Amino acid sequence: MRDITELGWGERKSIATSGGEIDIVAVRVKHWGARMQRDDYRGYNGYLLERNGRRIVFGGDTAMTDDFQQLRSYGAIAGPGSAGRLLQESKLSTARRQTEEARRGEPVDSTGCHSGKKWVDLAIMSIGCYNPWIRTHCNPEQAVQMANDAGARFIMPVHHQTFRLSFEPFREPIERFEAALRDQPERIALREIGETFVLPL
């Protein structure tokens, strides 16, 4: 790898690919960047990815944080074909529009989104490794809460059932995740390792 760009929280980069341009924003999460005992100067991020009017947040490793609420400041998803418009939308106009919607009393769903609007198509969230590391890894219910805070339509659970890295029972994270979404099972993107998820239009 020769072309590497490091991003701090809130920094952006656009990458040209054969499938179109992808906009990437580094987002704040609650973890640490150290790989050895004393190299705690390293950074750590989640990422907001956007292409052709579709938006994915990769939460990475994170403990519970309210930082995912900030993702709504990028505005609601306009849908496929609106590439290039969403990440340039001003935070001021977004906040003004959200205030107006709240005043009109539009109904909200469990993610807090008005009238079926979504801010993120898919949230990829870590759900394991919380026992005993809850200060740096969220539990499944907290992962769902942070995805809701981001206004995600679907949630893909990761960081579970591959390697034993913590003390919770092996299947506990996915079982708790499914229980947290028992009233909205259609939002679960994957349940088992090896499954495939295709984002609906």
Side-chain angles (χ1 to χ4, degrees), residues 4-87:
I4 298 172
T5 302
E6 292 187 13
L7 298 176
W9 296 332
E11 293 182 337
R12 302 169 184 227
K13 170 89 175 172
S14 291
I15 299 174
T17 72
S18 59
E21 194 165 275
I22 299 175
D23 293 317
I24 302 167
V25 180
V27 298
R28 183 177 174 155
V29 295
K30 187 176 178 184
H31 198 60
W32 77 89
R35 288 293 169 257
M36 296 180 287
Q37 192 171 13
R38 293 191 171 89
D39 64 342
D40 57 2
Y41 61 90
R42 297 179 191 274
Y44 50 94
N45 298 326
Y47 294 96
L48 181 64
L49 311 171
E50 184 174 323
R51 184 173 72 89
N52 293 337
R54 306 309 293 267
R55 201 178 284 164
I56 296 173
V57 63
F58 175 68
D61 280 344
T62 184
M64 182 64 188
T65 176
D66 59 7
D67 290 315
F68 285 83
Q69 295 172 12
Q70 302 305 313
L71 298 179
R72 292 179 185 235
S73 69
Y74 293 101
I77 296 169
S82 60
R85 288 198 341 232
L86 301 178
L87 289 182

Side-chain angles (χ1 to χ4, degrees), residues 139-199:
N139 65 38
E141 296 81 8
Q142 291 169 335
V144 171
Q145 180 60 55
M146 288 185 286
N148 289 347
D149 287 348
R153 180 178 176 196
F154 298 101
I155 310 170
M156 180 181 293
V158 296
H159 204 316
H160 67 98
Q161 295 188 85
T162 49
F163 302 100
R164 187 171 293 283
L165 298 172
S166 52
F167 300 133
E168 68 264 8
F170 204 59
R171 286 196 51 82
E172 181 181 281
I174 192 64
E175 290 169 357
R176 286 176 61 174
F177 177 77
E178 289 176 328
L181 287 167
R182 69 179 151 277
D183 295 332
Q184 301 174 309
E186 69 281 358
R187 293 182 65 204
I188 301 174
L190 299 175
R191 287 179 167 78
E192 300 295 334
I193 303 301
E195 288 182 335
T196 300
F197 175 73
V198 176
L199 191 62

Side-chain angles (χ1 to χ4, degrees), residues 72-75 88-100:
R72 292 179 185 235
S73 69
Y74 293 101
Q88 282 71 38
E89 193 173 316
S90 79
K91 293 186 179 185
L92 182 60
S93 65
T94 301
R96 192 175 297 132
R97 187 179 64 252
Q98 290 170 347
T99 301
E100 289 170 4

